[in-house]
């Protein structure tokens, strides 16, 4: 009984101390640090994307896209993507989904070719309903998008519906379905870029522009493949914050003509050079050292279609590259250049979070590449920077111009009202931009001090039990240190990251067919995740949500199994309830109990 009372008292004391910490300034500071760390992890940007290409393949496209510019656009979009890591899905629709390819992760040139072969195999059919294509694309991204990737939809259509009256589908019903799909896309942060195809002059721009505007994207139109580099460049620049460098068009002479491609610094991850020509061209490439570079070669990729050639330079060295192009006489040649920068914009740390109206705070921001501050660079000369200030209380937003000092941006901001504010810096030039992570500050004065209306001992008044003040302070400091340690440990554990990837294969025990391997990168997860998340939350695989992974030391992961599905390793059933540590190359399987499927898992670093 005494032991029970002791434990009960200890629990009560512990709860009281934790409660006291949370309502005190110390507890608020600890909680704020944890929240800031979590938010910081969420705001990390990634240049990888998950895109669904949606194309109208109804018979009306025989006139509005007689040259299949839409197909060329989709293939060029795929070729412009990074060499590996991006994911692409394809939806071909009429008044129903005719053909669909789920999100495929690009790991090799063959993956890109598989996607382009799928596009070439699309056939056309009767009727059109834009809502069907957009609705399916949103579902594909909701079910298969990778954590940390940037989702997007690119819709290629003429903007006209041709509904099947026998099916009983009305235009108002189609509009309602489209509105619901757009609402879901907005909620999920999925922009819908549109390319209107107008070979027959019957393009209906309004619905396509409305789709793009509602989701924060852009709308374009074309009747010629010649426009594709500029359109796709703008889509890439807008969505992935890339830099476009225009290069003048030329007319072929039948001899080599030279173009200079300047790689401004070592922050360029990739450079896409698109060459549009209706007739075959020959291209040669010379690096800044004067050496001829093979096309293709280890660091130079080449993609071709009937209307374009695309040269991708991987991590090109800084300096002037020479591109020599030989085209047919009198044939127009358009060249576009897109830079993919490994750049982030970071703000100087602001020491205080609490101010009074009239106070002034200094603002500084700088570019980083691969985690290192970018030195004095030409980029600072071409970029303009502003401080974006949002008054959280009123909702008002204003911009304050910042000055470039050669290797950073600087400025000042004064608090005008006793409100809470959100600050971030945006730096941009003509074709790309970067934004810093937002910082929240308060100008409500002594927000952390004593609340109005509270009372305490008056000046000169003797405090009861003065020894409690001294002892209490010592105990409080000890408690704060202990609780801070445990909270910090918990925060660190919750934010511990993963490395490597998990390869998943699923075998149907009724047909003995096994799915293609799915490669799931783990770097986007923090603390823990479950297998159900990797399986795109498929309802029939719900029992896998009780199989949880956490990071372990030495680039390993720990699998804990709280489901009824047995885990096997090397043909033996393993009890993983307490945790099974996996190193690179380890492979396990689990037999699901609710459906006849076996899941094979391999961990790779």
């Amino acid at each position: 009984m005494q032991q029970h009372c002791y434990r009960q008292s200890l629990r009560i004391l512990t709860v009281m101390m934790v409660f006291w910490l949370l309502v005190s300034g110390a507890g608020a500071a600890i909680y704020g640090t944890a929240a800031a760390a979590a938010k910081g992890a969420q705001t990390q940007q990634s240049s990888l994307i998950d895109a669904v290409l949606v194309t109208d393949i109804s018979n009306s496209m025989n006139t509005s896209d007689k040259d299949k510019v839409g197909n060329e656009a989709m293939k060029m979009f795929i070729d412009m993507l990074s060499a590996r890591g991006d994911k692409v899905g394809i939806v071909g629709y009429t008044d129903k989904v005719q053909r669909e390819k789920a999100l495929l992760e690009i790991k090799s040139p063959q993956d890109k070719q598989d996607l382009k072969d799928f596009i070439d195999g699309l056939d056309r059919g009767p009727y059109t309903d834009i809502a069907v294509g957009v609705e399916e694309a949103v579902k594909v991204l909701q079910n298969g998008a990778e954590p940390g990737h940037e989702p997007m939809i690119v819709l290629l259509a003429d903007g006209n519906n041709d509904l099947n009256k026998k099916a009983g589908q009305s235009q108002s019903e189609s509009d309602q379905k489209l509105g619901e799909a757009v609402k879901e896309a907005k909620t999920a942060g999925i922009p819908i870029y549109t390319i209107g195809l107008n070979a027959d002059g019957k393009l209906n721009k309004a619905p396509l522009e409305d789709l793009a505007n509602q989701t924060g994207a852009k709308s374009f139109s074309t009747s010629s493949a010649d426009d594709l580099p500029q359109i796709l460049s703008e889509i890439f620049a807008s969505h992935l914050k890339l830099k476009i460098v225009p290069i003048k068009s030329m007319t072929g002479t039948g001899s080599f003509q030279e173009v200079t491609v300047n790689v401004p610094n070592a922050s360029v991850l990739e450079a896409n050079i698109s060459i549009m020509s209706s007739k075959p061209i020959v291209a040669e490439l010379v690096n800044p050292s004067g050496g001829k570079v093979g096309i293709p070669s280890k660091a130079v990729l080449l993609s071709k279609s009937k209307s374009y050639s695309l040269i991708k330079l991987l991590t090109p060295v800084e300096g002037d590259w020479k591109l020599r192009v030989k085209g047919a006489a009198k044939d127009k040649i358009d060249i576009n250049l897109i830079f993919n920068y490994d750049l982030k914009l970071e703000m100087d740390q602001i020491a205080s979070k609490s101010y009074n109206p009239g106070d002034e705070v200094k603002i500084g921001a700088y570019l980083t590449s691969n985690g290192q501050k970018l030195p004095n660079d030409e980029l600072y000369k071409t970029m303009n920077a502003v401080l974006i200030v949002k008054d959280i209380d009123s909702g008002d937003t204003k911009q304050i111009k910042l000055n470039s000092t050669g290797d950073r941006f600087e400025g000042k901001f004064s608090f005008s009202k006793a409100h809470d504010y959100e600050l971030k810096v945006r730096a941009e030039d003509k074709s790309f931009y970067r934004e810093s992570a937002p910082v929240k500050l308060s100008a409500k004065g002594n927000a952390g001090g004593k609340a109005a209306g509270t009372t305490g001992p008056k000046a000169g008044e003797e405090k009861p039990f003065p020894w409690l003040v001294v002892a209490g302070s010592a105990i409080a400091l000890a408690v704060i240190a202990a609780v801070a340690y445990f909270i910090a440990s918990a925060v660190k554990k919750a934010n511990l990251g993963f490395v490597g990837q998990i390869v998943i294969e699923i075998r149907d025990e009724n047909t003995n067919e096994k799915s293609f391997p799915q490669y799931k990168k783990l770097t986007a997860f923090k603390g823990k995740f479950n297998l159900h998340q990797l399986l795109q939350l498929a309802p029939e695989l719900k029992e896998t949500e009780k199989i949880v992974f956490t990071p372990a030391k030495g680039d390993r992961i720990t699998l804990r199994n709280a489901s009824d599905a047995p885990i096997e390793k090397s043909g033996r059933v393993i009890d993983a309830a307490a945790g099974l540590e996996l190193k690179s190359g380890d492979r396990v399987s689990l037999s699901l109990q609710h459906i006849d499927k076996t899941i094979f898992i391999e961990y790779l670093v």
Side-chain angles (χ1 to χ4, degrees):
M1 182 68 179
Q2 288 180 342
Q3 184 72 8
H4 172 75
C5 292
Y6 170 76
R7 290 176 179 172
Q8 184 72 8
S9 300
L10 185 60
R11 280 196 292 268
I12 293 172
L13 179 61
T14 303
V15 170
M16 290 176 66
M17 287 190 296
V18 172
F19 174 76
W20 177 76
L21 280 169
L22 289 176
V23 299
S24 71
I30 293 168
Y31 177 78
T33 302
K39 184 165 185 178
Q42 292 173 354
T43 56
Q44 289 180 353
Q45 296 178 344
S46 169
S47 62
L48 295 177
I49 69 170
D50 289 342
V52 178
L53 308 179
V54 186
T55 181
D56 179 352
I57 54 173
S58 65
N59 288 332
S60 66
M61 303 301 285
N62 289 327
T63 55
S64 59
D65 187 23
K66 60 182 180 180
D67 295 325
K68 293 193 174 182
V69 173
N71 285 16
E72 288 295 285
M74 289 190 290
K75 288 190 282 187
M76 189 172 183
F77 179 94
I78 291 165
D79 282 332
M80 291 172 76
L81 292 174
S82 298
R84 56 179 61 244
D86 293 317
K87 293 169 69 178
V88 178
I90 301 168
V91 174
Y93 73 93
T94 53
D95 63 336
K96 56 187 177 183
V97 177
Q98 293 285 0
R99 291 198 67 191
E100 178 179 337
K101 191 170 186 67
L103 287 170
L104 173 69
E105 183 179 359
I106 295 172
K107 301 189 290 290
S108 67
Q110 185 57 48
D111 291 329
K112 289 189 175 185
Q113 190 58 51
D114 289 346
L115 289 164
K116 291 187 287 184
D117 289 344
F118 182 88
I119 291 168
D120 285 334
L122 293 173
D123 294 322
R124 291 176 173 169
Y127 307 114
T128 317
D129 186 354
I130 292 176
V132 169
V134 174
E135 181 184 51
E136 185 64 19
V138 173
K139 287 180 180 177
V140 170
L141 286 171
Q142 287 177 329
N143 295 328
E146 196 80 21
H149 285 208
E150 297 281 349
M152 68 184 299
I153 293 171
V154 181
L155 171 65
L156 302 103
D158 60 10
N160 298 297
N161 268 1
D162 179 18
L163 302 177
N164 184 359
K165 296 179 180 178
K166 293 181 180 179
Q169 172 88 335
S170 68
Q171 185 61 51
S172 61
E173 289 173 328
S174 175
D175 291 341
Q176 182 179 353
K177 183 189 292 184
L178 182 60
E180 291 171 354
V182 170
K183 184 178 179 180
E184 288 191 27
K186 289 171 65 177
T187 301
I190 303 171
I192 303 175
Y193 295 88
T194 61
I195 301 177
L197 303 170
N198 193 33
D200 58 359
K202 297 180 180 180
L203 173 66
N204 186 6
K205 282 187 177 182
L208 299 179
E209 290 178 346
D210 188 49
L211 274 175
N213 291 335
Q214 285 192 63
T215 58
K218 294 183 178 181
S219 182
F220 307 86
S221 61
T222 181
S223 59
S224 169
D226 293 341
D227 300 329
L228 295 183
Q230 188 61 35
I231 290 173
L232 294 173
S233 295
E234 289 193 39
I235 289 176
F236 268 77
S238 174
H239 192 69
L240 294 179
K241 303 186 281 289
L242 309 184
K243 183 177 177 63
I244 307 171
V245 178
I247 296 178
K248 291 183 179 180
S249 300
M250 63 175 70
T251 301
T253 62
S255 302
F256 278 106
Q257 296 169 271
E258 191 172 277
V259 173
T260 298
V261 177
N262 177 258
V263 176
N265 54 53
S267 300
V268 177
L269 294 175
E270 292 180 355
N272 283 324
I273 305 171
S274 60
I275 307 171
M276 302 297 297
S277 176
S278 61
K279 296 179 181 178
I281 57 99
V282 178
E284 295 180 352
L285 194 62
V286 178
N287 64 28
S289 301
K292 190 173 180 180
V293 181
I295 307 177
S297 59
K298 186 176 180 180
V300 179
L301 306 182
L302 174 66
S303 305
K304 284 188 175 184
S305 188
K306 65 180 182 180
S307 61
Y308 69 85
S309 296
L310 191 135
I311 300 170
K312 184 186 290 288
L313 309 183
L314 304 178
T315 57
V317 297
E318 180 180 349
D320 288 337
W321 293 65
K322 302 296 182 183
L323 176 68
R324 304 179 68 233
V325 179
K326 181 168 71 175
K330 298 182 180 181
D331 184 38
K332 184 183 177 184
I333 302 173
D334 287 320
I335 302 175
N336 266 273
L337 178 64
I338 301 179
F339 285 142
N340 182 358
Y341 278 107
D342 173 28
L343 287 180
K344 291 184 180 179
L345 183 65
E346 297 187 14
M347 283 179 63
D348 289 339
Q349 187 172 0
I350 299 175
S352 176
K353 301 295 182 183
S354 181
Y355 297 85
N356 292 304
D359 286 349
E360 187 177 80
V361 60
K362 292 183 178 180
I363 301 297
Y366 52 90
L367 295 166
T368 64
S369 174
N370 195 26
Q372 300 296 316
K373 182 179 177 181
L374 202 67
N376 193 327
D377 191 271
E378 291 294 323
L379 279 174
Y380 285 101
K381 296 180 181 179
T382 61
M383 298 183 80
N384 296 313
V386 294
L387 175 67
I388 302 173
V389 181
K390 180 180 180 181
D391 185 323
I392 297 175
D393 293 359
S394 68
D396 296 336
T397 300
K398 67 176 181 179
Q399 295 186 2
I400 300 171
K401 189 178 186 326
L402 300 180
N403 298 317
S404 173
T405 63
D407 63 351
R408 59 190 284 107
F409 305 105
E410 293 182 347
K412 297 178 181 179
F413 167 65
S414 295
F415 297 94
S416 58
K417 298 178 181 179
H419 288 180
D420 291 329
Y421 296 85
E422 181 181 87
L423 279 63
K424 64 180 178 180
V425 176
R426 178 185 176 106
E428 61 186 328
D429 74 357
K430 293 180 180 179
S431 62
F432 87 124
Y433 70 94
R434 290 293 186 272
E435 285 187 353
S436 68
V439 175
K440 289 186 178 180
L441 304 177
S442 177
K444 294 181 177 178
N446 296 323
K450 187 184 299 180
T454 59
T455 60
K458 297 178 182 179
E461 182 179 346
E462 186 178 348
K463 300 178 179 66
F465 309 110
W467 58 271
L468 278 176
V469 176
V470 178
S473 297
I475 294 172
L477 289 173
V479 170
I480 289 173
V483 175
Y485 172 80
F486 286 114
I487 291 178
S489 298
V491 169
K492 183 178 180 181
K493 185 176 180 181
N495 287 283
L496 193 61
F498 292 85
V499 296
Q501 59 188 333
I502 284 181
V503 186
I504 295 175
E505 296 174 281
I506 302 177
R507 184 175 67 201
D508 188 320
E509 297 302 335
N510 294 319
T511 63
N512 209 34
E513 292 183 355
K514 185 184 287 187
S515 68
F516 288 109
Q518 304 174 46
Y519 292 80
K520 305 291 185 177
K521 293 183 178 179
L522 307 182
T523 51
F525 294 104
K526 299 289 182 183
K528 67 178 181 179
F529 65 90
N530 62 52
L531 181 57
H532 198 213
Q533 291 173 269
L534 293 187
L535 297 171
Q536 302 173 2
L537 304 178
E540 70 273 15
L541 304 176
K542 186 174 175 59
E543 62 185 290
T544 60
E545 68 183 4
K546 293 185 178 181
I547 298 168
V548 178
F549 297 90
T550 55
K553 295 180 179 179
D555 291 344
R556 301 187 179 198
I557 59 173
T558 299
L559 179 156
R560 287 181 173 83
N561 182 20
S563 73
D564 295 329
I567 301 286
E568 291 188 16
K569 183 180 180 183
S570 302
R572 295 187 300 109
V573 176
I574 303 292
D575 183 4
L580 171 63
E581 195 169 88
L582 301 178
K583 64 180 185 300
S584 183
D586 280 352
R587 184 178 174 89
V588 298
S589 64
L590 59 145
S591 301
L592 301 183
Q593 301 300 293
H594 300 297
I595 55 174
D596 293 331
K597 293 184 184 295
T598 299
I599 300 177
F600 298 90
I601 300 170
E602 184 177 6
Y603 176 55
L604 297 174
V605 177

